Amino acid sequence: MLISSSFVILFISYLIAFDKISIFSMDSGIIQTLVDPVYDLNSYSIIEIIVLFVSLYGILIPFFVYGFLKPLLAFLPLKVPTIIALVCSFSWIIVPNYEYLVPERWVIISGLFISIFSAHGFSLLNTSIKSGFLRAITFATFFSFFIIYGIVFILSPQFGTISTIPGYFGNLTQFIMPISMSINSFDIDQNKDIVQLIDWINRNTQGNSIVIGSIHWRGWFSLFLDPEIDFKYEENTLQPLSFKNNSLFENSGLGLCNMTSSNSDSTSATILLVSSNDSILKDLSSFKIQEFGQFAVYNISKILCNY
């Protein structure tokens, strides 16, 4: 209890004092943020959350209910976080701007507790079978199904799989739930390309340069990019014809162009754009200075800063 309380206090302190993203750091009040339509940011529907929950745990719900209620007061320390996770998973029932409370992530967390109590509920039901042989067959069949099902999910390819139940509803759930454990920012065989690209930038770019890339790659650049080189990410693909109207440039345009050199050579301080979609950036082919597999590096200093 002491350790758990310490983590809770530290977590809440961080949200209030340092967090720059969640509802705790917004100028408006928490209640106003969750209720006022002005702050609505829901990017997925309630139907999608319901489908996600049912497709993940529908087969376990009867066993979960039985295991959770029998006996009612047993496993109380485990039931408290279970209730919290389920309440947060269904927060959309009473909270209009529910995405701030990330119910889709609470759905995933709920799976830990649902699985535990489902196994408990099945065990209670299984012990009511009088025949020891039949009890063993039922036990082996039940758990073998989930073991095989789990292995299939682990080994499923990144795209197009329907080997899991959520996969059949991928058109509704894939935005908020990966349909495979191999899901990534890009295909696994491209890992070496992004590492080689970042290494090339480190060796061929001056320290106070800026690299612009996808928000989904920020982990790779945080790990391997020279700390003296600034990595800025953009959630949406940058459009070449409207660079200066892009929110990234509007918010930090002066900083982007505060370079020590106006030379567009790749060895000087400059602004680089990293992209994996050449079709969108075909108008920038003359600015391409290097490529690794599907990834390409563009020097866009002249476009942004009128060098």
Side-chain angles (χ1 to χ4, degrees):
M1 291 296 294
L2 181 61
I3 294 174
S4 299
S5 301
S6 300
F7 275 114
V8 169
I9 293 172
L10 288 171
F11 179 69
I12 294 176
S13 300
Y14 164 78
L15 287 178
I16 295 175
F18 302 104
D19 177 63
K20 304 297 182 183
I21 299 174
S22 75
I23 55 177
F24 291 95
S25 61
M26 297 188 67
D27 295 332
S28 61
I30 294 177
I31 302 300
Q32 183 183 7
T33 302
L34 295 176
V35 175
D36 195 332
V38 173
Y39 299 100
D40 182 15
L41 120 94
N42 300 329
S43 58
Y44 48 83
S45 68
I46 291 175
I47 295 296
E48 290 174 327
I49 303 177
I50 295 175
V51 170
L52 176 65
F53 186 89
V54 174
S55 64
L56 284 173
Y57 311 125
I59 195 172
L60 294 176
I61 289 176
F63 301 105
F64 165 72
V65 173
Y66 189 79
F68 189 85
L69 297 178
K70 297 285 186 176
L72 187 60
L73 296 180
F75 309 109
L76 195 58
L78 191 59
K79 287 183 177 179
V80 171
T82 303
I83 294 173
I84 293 174
L86 288 174
V87 168
C88 292
S89 298
F90 290 88
S91 58
W92 44 267
I93 294 177
I94 58 174
V95 178
N97 302 335
Y98 49 81
E99 188 166 345
Y100 287 104
L101 300 179
V102 288
E104 77 285 1
R105 300 191 181 188
W106 285 104
V107 167
I108 306 302
I109 293 174
S110 298
L112 300 173
F113 305 108
I114 290 174
S115 299
I116 293 172
F117 282 107
S118 296
H120 176 59
F122 171 79
S123 298
L124 292 176
L125 291 171
N126 196 47
T127 54
S128 64
I129 300 175
K130 294 182 178 180
S131 170
F133 177 76
L134 184 58
R135 204 162 48 238
I137 292 296
T138 306
F139 179 89
T141 302
F142 182 83
F143 283 100
S144 294
F145 169 78
F146 287 102
I147 291 172
I148 295 172
Y149 184 82
I151 292 174
V152 169
F153 178 68
I154 291 172
L155 300 179
S156 295
Q158 178 173 345
F159 298 108
T161 177
I162 56 171
S163 57
T164 59
I165 296 176
Y168 285 97
F169 304 96
N171 59 327
L172 288 173
T173 63
Q174 64 182 350
F175 176 73
I176 54 176
M177 167 67 184
I179 57 177
S180 168
M181 286 189 70
S182 65
I183 206 79
N184 198 0
S185 319
F186 33 77
D187 291 337
I188 293 175
D189 59 2
Q190 295 176 329
N191 287 0
K192 59 179 176 55
D193 293 332
I194 193 70
V195 173
Q196 290 175 353
L197 180 147
I198 297 174
D199 181 61
W200 181 88
I201 292 176
N202 290 337
R203 289 184 287 103
N204 293 275
T205 308
Q206 194 167 297
N208 57 343
S209 298
I210 292 172
V211 177
I212 301 173
S214 168
I215 187 174
H216 305 295
W217 305 343
R218 63 191 186 278
W220 290 94
F221 282 88
S222 176
L223 283 173
F224 300 113
L225 188 66
D226 187 332
E228 293 184 359
I229 303 174
D230 190 12
F231 177 71
K232 295 185 179 296
Y233 50 83
E234 176 69 4
E235 188 161 5
N236 301 311
T237 304
L238 291 171
Q239 299 296 327
L241 298 179
S242 58
F243 273 145
K244 288 195 173 183
N245 296 325
N246 184 273
S247 60
L248 178 65
F249 186 78
E250 286 180 347
N251 295 335
S252 54
L254 295 176
L256 288 174
C257 294
N258 185 22
M259 319 299 288
T260 60
S261 171
S262 62
N263 189 345
S264 63
D265 185 78
S266 63
T267 58
S268 301
T270 187
I271 305 174
L272 301 179
L273 172 65
V274 177
S275 175
S276 61
N277 194 332
D278 274 346
S279 60
I280 294 180
L281 301 176
K282 59 184 178 180
D283 295 334
L284 297 182
S285 57
S286 60
F287 296 92
K288 184 187 295 186
I289 56 177
Q290 189 57 265
E291 58 183 333
F292 295 88
Q294 185 180 336
F295 303 96
V297 183
Y298 300 84
N299 187 330
I300 59 172
S301 303
K302 288 185 177 180
I303 301 176
L304 288 180
C305 303
N306 292 323
Y307 288 163

